Amino acid sequence: MTPSRPAGGLSRRHFALVLPSALLASGCAAPRRGTGRPGDPIVLTLLSHYASGELKQALQGPVDEWNATHDRVKVRTKAVEFTDLLTTFMVRQAAGQGADILHPYCLWNGQLVQAGVLRPAPPEYAEEIRRGYGAAAVGAASAGGTVYGYPTEMQTYALYYNKRLLREAGIDGPPGTWRELEETAYRTAERDRYGNTLVQGFGLSTYDDSTTVGQTLALLNAAGGSFVAADGRSTAIDSRAGRAVLDLEHRLVVKGASAPGVNVYKAFASGQVAMVISAGWWTANLKALMGKGYRDVGVAPVPLPEPDGRCATLSTGFMLGVNTASERPREAWEFLHWLNTEKVGGVTRMSALQVSVGSLTGRADDMRTLLGAGSDPNLRPFLDALAYAVPEPNVPGAQQAKSLLRKNIEALWTGRQSVDEALRTTRRQVDQEVSRSW
């Protein structure tokens, strides 16, 4: 499952930013034959999901630059589709064909570490990562307190809202609390005389992880809760905070403010959803889809249960790390240091790469430089959230635990389970999964 984008139908990558040309230079000149050891240069392989289009081109640019300016060590990229990435890591590792450098979704880190695939970052690089990135990014790139790589793409969650729909309902601005969220959802929801949904007040959708698990965990974090306990061996969603989140979502469905069967990505862009919680990658897509209608889109922090609460939300991410099977780990870490730490035009190459395709990194200073004063104001809440976002739990078994949570949330939304049943079933299934994975 994709961590923060729909499974199909929408491209998440179109970003209207003017970046300094030096940051996006592809370095496409044919690399010189290196001297390396006697004979050919060292060749490192980098396996990622940047398999096509803008993503593939964006990564290849700095790789070409490295190859054109380094004789002894060259980097060759390989890619598979995201849906095949975890399986490819595991199968190739078992076959002795693992790449030197891996680009996993951070949710999988616990599983990859347990399987002996990821190599801990050397102390000097681990310290560099802890200093240079926000806490959520460092947490995502770690497992069991050990740093395993450089954070790359980071996505935080916030509340998208349609200003026109709120204004037409007599509401001045976005909700800041759950009570205000419910009131706004009920006032903006519309149905025809046959009971068919015309406008969802708050967009709940079974379409993908981003609007099922993603926004549920964003609300859970905002309530001070967590999905998995601190020791990683049991779920923590069957708590006061977890119950409050599921109660909220259940009320929105039962009272007609949410219609989970609707594809929220299409519906929001068409003006048929007043509010929805999603990740920052969606901003660029909405611009492309909505044209002039995009002026009605606003973004605000995830509402809190109480007005005096502390801001919190969900973050998801990827990282670049080194395979335990690599015969050239020192050279692999040197390349990753160059890509993720050395600065050109005041920012790192990785930050420039991510912004060029519509993402953020966990380097808030880079993001402020790249986004600048003239950027889309709807991006600012996602940037601000880097300071308080909570990373997805990435314990062994986290991917299956997420899948189980999604099934139970959808069962609640569609009336097949009560709140009590959803919490009880999730606790039983997830506890079994994460405890077995250790």
Side-chain angles (χ1 to χ4, degrees), residues 89 93 99-130 133 135-152 318-326 329 332-334 336-337 340 394-396 438:
F89 287 153
Q93 193 78 2
D100 297 281
I101 299 170
L102 306 176
H103 193 194
Y105 175 29
C106 290
L107 182 74
W108 307 331
N109 283 353
Q111 179 177 345
L112 293 173
V113 168
Q114 186 185 59
V117 176
L118 288 175
R119 183 186 298 266
E124 64 273 24
Y125 294 121
E127 181 57 30
E128 178 180 83
I129 291 164
R130 291 190 181 98
Y133 295 84
V138 176
S142 303
T146 299
V147 176
Y148 283 90
Y150 284 93
T152 58
F318 288 78
M319 56 154 257
L320 280 166
V322 176
N323 196 334
T324 56
S326 174
W333 285 112
E334 287 174 357
L336 293 183
H337 174 274
N340 294 279
N394 60 5
V395 298
W438 286 84

Side-chain angles (χ1 to χ4, degrees), residues 264-305:
V264 74
Y265 294 105
K266 293 181 179 179
F268 186 88
S270 300
Q272 297 171 307
V273 175
M275 300 177 292
V276 65
I277 293 171
S278 193
W281 64 265
W282 199 23
T283 304
N285 283 115
L286 288 172
K287 272 188 174 181
L289 287 170
M290 297 179 70
K292 292 182 179 179
Y294 180 73
R295 63 176 177 266
D296 290 329
V297 177
V299 178
V302 173
L304 303 173

Side-chain angles (χ1 to χ4, degrees), residues 20 33 49 63 87 120 143 145 149 196 241 291 311 318 324 337 361 370 399 403:
R33 178 183 175 84
H49 63 293
V63 169
T87 300
N196 299 311
C311 285
F318 288 78
T324 56
H337 174 274
T361 69
L370 287 164
Q399 178 64 73
S403 298

